[in-house]
Amino acid sequence: RSGGRFGRAEAPAVLAARTNYFRETYSYDDSIVDGIEPFLRHEGFIEAARRVHGRPLVVPNIVYANILVAGQELAVHTDVPEFRGANRKLLPQWLLVVMHHSRLFDAWRMPIATGIAYFNACEGGALAFYPDGPEGPVRTLPAKPDTAVLLDTDSVFHGVDRVEETQPQPALRPAKPLMWYAADGRWEVHGEDGPLIRYRWDEVRFSVSWKAYCYEDERDRRRADAHEDDLTPPLILERLVADLRERGRLAGDRPPDVELAQLLIETYVRFPEPVAGSA
């Protein structure tokens, strides 16, 4: 709707290609790729997570890499949060985002800290984030090798500015493109019929993200693991619908699901305004 941080107006197919970046997961729950343990257990991230959420018990869980190639960007957003009894495996991601922004379910929220580490330099691709909320000013952090940032990405709106477009992109993207590091020091994107395009290191934005759950203490962790006092879908919708009525946003019978979903998003999720006149 907003056209990204700079309010650009582009065709949906172009926007889809610009935001269809590459990802590889190194750690998720009990699945851990050999060699990633030092990053997963990095004490610098753990200590920063304690300060961000003010909770001493930090449990690292997820590590993944994002690669944005020349001409790609990441739209301003907040990440998908988790609650006791409500996560992306059980509920639609948009609903979880609505739940967090509504502040109606803070008692069930599982605070997550996210670290982002950079391993190369590129033109463009700065992290843009709004530490003072969507009405506050944007701050930008360039991607520099051997640097990192940690924040509450479930709450802070953030995105990635466009990586400089150094060469024309393939006219058609395959349904499931693959990307890997070639022997000559370049990255290759392959489709079903072979290589589509090659990139130098400075034409891609390579970052590795780290996520950890933050608990008050072992009792707090056990309560989550044991699914004590979990939310349920009926309770979630009941609370949201009741709040819509209190706000004067809903009268009469509950609307059909799609209409209700659109109303929930419009009511609770307030994105930052685009920067007018910027390229």
Side-chain angles (χ1 to χ4, degrees):
R1 288 184 177 181
S2 68
R5 188 163 84 86
F6 297 118
R8 297 184 180 99
E10 293 184 302
V14 176
L15 290 173
R18 290 197 186 281
T19 57
N20 186 25
Y21 54 92
F22 295 86
R23 172 172 290 184
E24 182 63 87
T25 300
Y26 302 139
S27 173
Y28 196 105
D29 293 340
D30 296 326
S31 176
I32 301 176
V33 173
D34 288 342
I36 202 62
E37 291 90 346
F39 189 92
L40 178 66
R41 315 291 179 194
H42 183 52
E43 187 57 39
F45 277 150
I46 293 173
E47 180 55 36
R50 293 189 181 109
R51 298 200 303 270
V52 164
H53 283 298
R55 295 184 168 211
L57 180 57
V58 176
V59 181
N61 186 51
I62 300 173
V63 177
Y64 57 89
N66 283 341
I67 300 181
L68 279 69
V69 302
Q72 289 191 316
E73 60 189 77
L74 187 56
V76 173
H77 66 289
T78 54
D79 286 359
V80 181
E82 288 193 28
F83 305 83
R84 294 196 307 277
N87 57 48
R88 68 176 68 209
K89 296 179 181 179
L90 302 172
L91 295 176
Q93 295 183 27
W94 67 265
L95 179 56
L96 296 166
V97 173
V98 163
M99 289 169 60
H100 181 40
H101 285 282
S102 76
R103 303 304 302 271
L104 296 172
F105 305 94
D106 286 357
W108 289 270
R109 186 190 172 204
M110 298 177 62
I112 296 172
T114 300
I116 308 168
Y118 303 101
F119 293 91
N120 75 306
C122 64
E123 293 297 325
L127 176 71
F129 61 106
Y130 297 78
D132 300 316
E135 291 81 21
V138 65
R139 293 184 60 185
T140 57
L141 185 71
K144 293 182 179 180
D146 299 323
T147 64
V149 60
L150 189 139
L151 64 160
D152 176 4
T153 52
D154 294 350
S155 304
V156 176
F157 280 95
H158 61 285
V160 176
D161 287 346
R162 187 172 296 179
V163 180
E164 183 177 350
E165 200 157 7
T166 53
Q167 56 179 308
Q169 304 302 302
L172 295 174
R173 290 285 298 275
K176 295 182 178 180
L178 297 176
M179 186 176 192
W180 61 77
Y181 189 63
D184 61 355
R186 293 175 181 257
W187 292 90
E188 290 185 347
V189 177
H190 283 237
E192 294 179 355
D193 299 324
L196 293 174
I197 192 169
R198 309 179 84 205
Y199 296 100
R200 302 187 310 271
W201 256 110
D202 61 354
E203 293 178 301
V204 303
R205 180 187 187 273
F206 179 83
S207 64
V208 181
S209 291
W210 173 96
K211 287 183 177 286
Y213 295 106
C214 301
Y215 300 98
E216 294 177 354
D217 49 33
E218 282 291 349
R219 171 71 183 89
D220 186 31
R221 180 181 182 179
R222 287 196 300 271
R223 179 174 59 171
D225 292 344
H227 299 285
E228 298 177 13
D229 189 29
D230 273 5
L231 289 167
T232 63
L235 173 61
I236 292 167
L237 291 175
E238 180 181 322
R239 281 200 168 211
L240 288 169
V241 169
D243 191 62
L244 289 176
R245 295 189 192 282
E246 290 180 10
R247 290 168 176 259
R249 297 280 291 167
L250 181 63
D253 296 334
R254 175 178 151 180
D257 288 349
V258 173
E259 184 179 336
L260 176 61
Q262 292 171 339
L263 179 60
L264 290 170
I265 293 169
E266 292 168 0
T267 299
Y268 297 113
V269 186
R270 296 299 186 190
F271 285 85
E273 291 293 327
V275 180
S278 297

